[in-house]
Amino acid sequence: MNEEPGRLEMKPKHPLAIRWFHWVNFPLLALMIWSGLWIYWANDVYRVGLGSFTLFRFFPEGFYSTFGVSYHLAKGMAWHFFFMWFFVLNGVLYVAYTMFSGEWRQLVPNRRSFREAVLVALHDLHLWKGQLPARKFNGAQQIAYTGVVLMGVGSVVTGLAIYKPEQLGWLTALLGGYAAARFEHFLLACGYVLFFVVHIAQVVRAGWNNFRAMVSGYELVSSKKQTMNSGKDELEGLATERKLNAAGAEAAEETQAGKAEETPTASEPESVTAPDFSEIEKWNRQVRHRMRQGSRRSFLLWGAGLAAGAGAFEWLMTRPQTDDVPWPIRKTLELNERLARGFFSDHRLSRTYNASQVSPDRVNGDVGLDEAVDVATWKLRVEGPASGDTPMMLGLDAIRKLPRVEMTTELKCIEGWSIIVHWAGTRFIDFMKAFPPRTRSGGAFSLDRAEDLPGYVSMATPDGGYYVGLDMESMLHPQTLLCYEQNGTALSQEHGAPLRLVVPVKYGVKSLKRIGLICYSNTRPADYWTERGYDWYVGL
C-alpha cells in the first residue's frame, strides 16, 4: 500500500514568549550548573554507596581534570551570584506569562494526567499500542514541565537557605539545617541534568517537526491520516455496500403481492468521487513552502539571538578586572552586598548548640601563620582609638579582663563544610566599650549613635600576611567574639593563638586567626580573599 500525504496545515503551537523563555533559560541553567560544579568541587562529599562501600563518587578526579573544574571556587561563586539574577528573573517572567495568558491550563497536571503519564511511558516502551490524546501536552509532559518549574522554585529556596543561613535561619532550619539544604540544592541540580537528558532524547524521538515548532512556533499537522489507496478502497467499499442494499430492497419489494408493476425501480447508487490527491499534494507543497519561509526567518532570528548571547558573554568575560573578576560581576556582588546589609539585623542570632554537640576538630587555612607566636610577648595593636593618634598596644591579659562569653555555634567555611565549635572570649562590642574608637564627629563614643561610629574595622595577622575587612554592623553583632579558647582549651597555634576573631554571621574566611592588628576606618579596607575574586561582604 503506497503512502500518500494527507492535507497539511501550519498549526500554531508555542507562543513567542514561551519560546524565548525556553531558549534563554537553557544557557542560564547551564551556567548555573557549571558554576555550581566549581563551588561543589571545594567540598565534594556526596557519593552513592552503603556504609564504607562507595559505588560512585560525585565526582571522580578524572572528571575534574578532564573538564577543568578544580580550583575555581571564587570564580564559581562570582558567576553563580551574578547569573542567579537572570535565572530568577527569567523564571518569574515565565510563570507570570503562563498565568496571565492562560497557558498554565495546558501545563498544569489534572486528575487524569498521572494515569495518562503511565500510558505514555508504556507507549514509548512499546508495551501499549493505544492512541495517545491529541493535545499540545500529554500527561507525562504536563507532570515533567510543571515539575521542572517547581524544581526551579526549590533551587531558589534551597539556594537562599545556604546563601543566607543566619539571616534566614528559620528557612534553613525548615529544610533540615545548613548541610541538608546544601544536599537538597545538589539533588535539584542533578534533577536538572536528568531532565535535560530525557528531554533531549524525547526531542530527538519526536523528530524535526517538533523541534522546529520550538523555534518557529508552528508545526505541520495532517488533517487526514489516510493514504490514496486506502481512501479509494474505502470509497469503493461504500459504493458496493450501497448497491447491495439497493438490490436487497428491490428483491424484497418484488415478493409483495399485487405490486409488481407499481414497485418503483431501485435508484442507482450515488456517484462517489475519489479525492483529487494531486490537488492535495499541490496544496501541501504550498504549505511546506510557507513553512520553510517562516522557519527560515525564525531560525535566522534564533541564530542572531544565539550570537548576541555569545557576544554578550564574551564581552562580559573580557571586561577589565576588579579584584580578580570582571567589573560587571564585581558590581553585581556589591549590589548583593547592599541588599544583604539592608536586610541584616543584629537581632537575628546564629543558632547555638549544646557543648556535647561539638564536632571533631578540623584545621583549615594557614595564611599568616607561618611562624609560631610567643603568647607571653604577643601584643595587639589598635589603630584609630578615641584616646588619640597613637596606636594602643594591648596584651592578652587586657582582653581576658573583659566580660567573658561562651557560645557554641556553627562555623561555616566558604568551601561548603561546617563544624560546631565551642568558643570562649569577649564580645567585640565589649572590647569597643573598653577601648573605644575615634568617632566621625570627634565627640564622645556611644553605641546609641551607630551612625557616628567608624564604618569599618580591618584586622591583620602580626606578619600582615592575612588581612580582612569587616563592616561595623557585623562587628557589633552580639555573637561576634574575640576568642582565646576553643572547645574548652586555649587556642592552639594552628587555630590562631593567642587571639582570633569569630563572626558566626559570616563565612569563616572573615574569622581571622592570630590577630595582630585592629584598625578602625571610615573607608572600606582591603581584604585578602576579595583581592582573589571573592565577595567582600560574605555575609550569612
Side-chain angles (χ1 to χ4, degrees):
M1 185 178 292
N2 299 323
E3 288 191 0
E4 293 291 345
R7 183 183 177 89
L8 296 179
E9 296 178 3
M10 288 177 57
K11 182 181 178 182
K13 187 171 185 180
H14 300 297
L16 178 62
I18 293 294
R19 286 178 277 141
W20 274 105
F21 291 136
H22 173 274
W23 291 113
V24 168
N25 191 66
F26 174 73
L28 288 176
L29 184 57
L31 285 168
M32 291 296 288
I33 292 174
W34 188 248
S35 58
L37 271 176
W38 285 340
I39 298 171
Y40 171 74
W41 163 84
N43 187 40
D44 58 340
V45 295
Y46 304 137
R47 65 188 181 93
V48 176
L50 182 63
S52 60
F53 173 74
T54 298
L55 177 65
F56 178 78
R57 179 183 178 85
F58 294 97
F59 292 92
E61 284 300 322
F63 173 85
Y64 294 135
S65 59
T66 300
F67 293 101
V69 175
S70 306
Y71 303 103
H72 291 298
L73 176 58
K75 186 177 180 180
M77 296 184 75
W79 280 34
H80 214 65
F81 300 145
F82 176 81
F83 288 109
M84 72 176 184
W85 286 106
F86 300 96
F87 177 72
V88 171
L89 179 62
N90 189 66
V92 169
L93 291 176
Y94 169 78
V95 172
Y97 174 81
T98 58
M99 293 296 292
F100 286 109
S101 67
E103 285 284 316
W104 67 271
R105 295 184 179 89
Q106 302 183 66
L107 281 168
V108 176
N110 53 47
R111 56 190 177 87
R112 297 185 300 273
S113 297
F114 293 92
R115 179 180 180 277
E116 189 178 296
V118 175
L119 295 178
V120 170
L122 294 175
H123 185 273
D124 290 350
L125 295 171
H126 304 287
L127 299 176
W128 181 70
K129 300 185 182 300
Q131 185 67 31
L132 294 176
R135 295 201 310 271
K136 183 175 180 178
F137 301 116
N138 60 46
Q141 290 171 316
Q142 289 174 329
I143 293 171
Y145 297 154
T146 301
V148 81
V149 171
L150 294 177
M151 286 170 59
V153 175
S155 292
V156 173
V157 171
T158 55
L160 286 172
I162 57 180
Y163 184 43
K164 300 297 176 187
E166 304 301 337
Q167 299 305 304
L168 296 174
W170 61 271
L171 178 60
T172 307
L174 186 65
L175 295 173
Y178 181 72
R182 184 177 187 263
F183 179 64
E184 292 153 9
H185 200 66
F186 178 81
L187 280 182
L188 288 167
C190 292
Y192 291 129
V193 176
L194 178 62
F195 173 85
F196 174 76
V197 171
V198 174
H199 186 60
I200 292 299
Q202 290 290 72
V203 168
V204 172
R205 181 180 176 278
W208 170 250
N209 191 38
N210 184 69
F211 174 79
R212 178 176 54 192
M214 186 47 77
V215 177
S216 68
Y218 289 86
E219 65 176 344
L220 283 180
V221 296
S222 176
S223 60
K224 191 173 184 180
K225 303 292 185 179
Q226 296 174 327
T227 65
M228 178 182 289
N229 288 340
S230 65
K232 288 182 177 179
D233 290 343
E234 182 178 336
L235 291 171
E236 290 172 359
L238 177 60
T240 302
E241 181 181 354
R242 287 176 175 173
K243 288 179 180 179
L244 291 173
N245 289 341
E250 182 179 359
E253 291 175 0
E254 288 177 349
T255 60
Q256 296 180 7
K259 297 184 180 179
E261 293 183 359
E262 298 178 9
T263 300
T265 303
S267 61
E268 292 294 324
E270 294 179 10
S271 176
V272 180
T273 303
D276 188 346
F277 285 106
S278 63
E279 290 297 323
I280 292 179
E281 182 56 34
K282 181 179 179 181
W283 166 270
N284 288 349
R285 285 196 298 269
Q286 294 174 349
V287 172
R288 292 192 188 97
H289 178 70
R290 291 198 303 271
M291 188 68 175
R292 283 194 296 270
Q293 285 184 321
S295 298
R296 189 180 298 115
R297 287 191 296 268
S298 296
F299 273 94
L300 286 173
L301 288 173
W302 183 74
L306 184 64
F313 185 78
E314 177 67 18
W315 177 87
L316 177 65
M317 293 297 103
T318 55
R319 293 308 88 199
Q321 304 270 310
T322 300
D323 289 330
D324 211 35
V325 295
W327 68 259
I329 295 182
R330 178 59 65 188
K331 289 294 184 181
T332 303
L333 294 179
E334 292 172 358
L335 170 64
N336 296 345
E337 174 188 336
R338 289 194 295 271
L339 294 174
R341 292 182 71 170
F343 184 68
F344 176 84
S345 171
D346 57 9
H347 297 297
R348 299 190 186 100
L349 301 180
S350 179
R351 178 186 173 185
T352 57
Y353 301 81
N354 296 324
S356 60
Q357 295 176 278
V358 167
S359 305
D361 188 33
R362 179 167 181 169
V363 178
N364 191 56
D366 58 1
V367 181
L369 305 179
D370 293 338
E371 298 180 1
V373 68
D374 183 356
V375 176
T377 60
W378 169 87
K379 295 293 182 182
L380 172 64
R381 179 184 176 95
V382 182
E383 296 183 357
S387 57
D389 295 333
T390 303
M392 299 176 62
M393 304 297 292
L394 303 173
L396 186 59
D397 289 342
I399 308 299
R400 286 184 173 274
K401 290 178 181 178
L402 300 176
R404 177 185 172 93
V405 174
E406 295 187 30
M407 68 178 187
T408 305
T409 56
E410 190 174 25
L411 174 67
K412 298 177 179 67
C413 180
I414 203 166
E415 295 174 351
W417 54 268
S418 63
I419 57 172
I420 298 173
V421 186
H422 182 76
W423 307 103
T426 187
R427 296 188 306 166
F428 189 79
I429 195 171
D430 292 326
F431 176 84
M432 286 184 65
K433 290 177 182 177
F435 309 104
R438 185 166 47 247
T439 62
R440 294 174 186 262
S441 65
F445 167 83
S446 174
L447 290 173
D448 295 331
R449 298 196 304 275
E451 70 281 358
D452 197 32
L453 299 177
Y456 301 95
V457 176
S458 63
M459 296 187 181
T461 54
D463 63 0
Y466 191 73
Y467 43 93
V468 297
L470 301 119
D471 56 287
M472 183 59 75
E473 295 94 335
S474 298
M475 297 305 295
L476 294 177
H477 191 275
Q479 291 178 309
T480 298
L481 303 185
L482 297 176
C483 293
Y484 40 78
E485 290 182 12
Q486 177 179 337
N487 295 336
T489 60
L491 287 173
S492 63
Q493 292 285 339
E494 58 191 2
H495 281 301
L499 189 70
R500 66 167 294 167
L501 177 67
V502 173
V503 192
V505 295
K506 291 188 180 294
Y507 280 119
V509 292
K510 292 291 190 179
S511 294
L512 182 125
K513 301 175 184 178
R514 189 172 298 159
I515 306 173
L517 168 69
I518 295 178
C519 178
Y520 300 108
S521 172
N522 287 316
T523 57
R524 194 163 96 160
D527 186 271
Y528 180 88
W529 286 114
T530 300
E531 294 171 353
R532 287 154 179 81
Y534 288 87
D535 177 24
W536 185 90
Y537 187 66
V538 294
L540 299 172

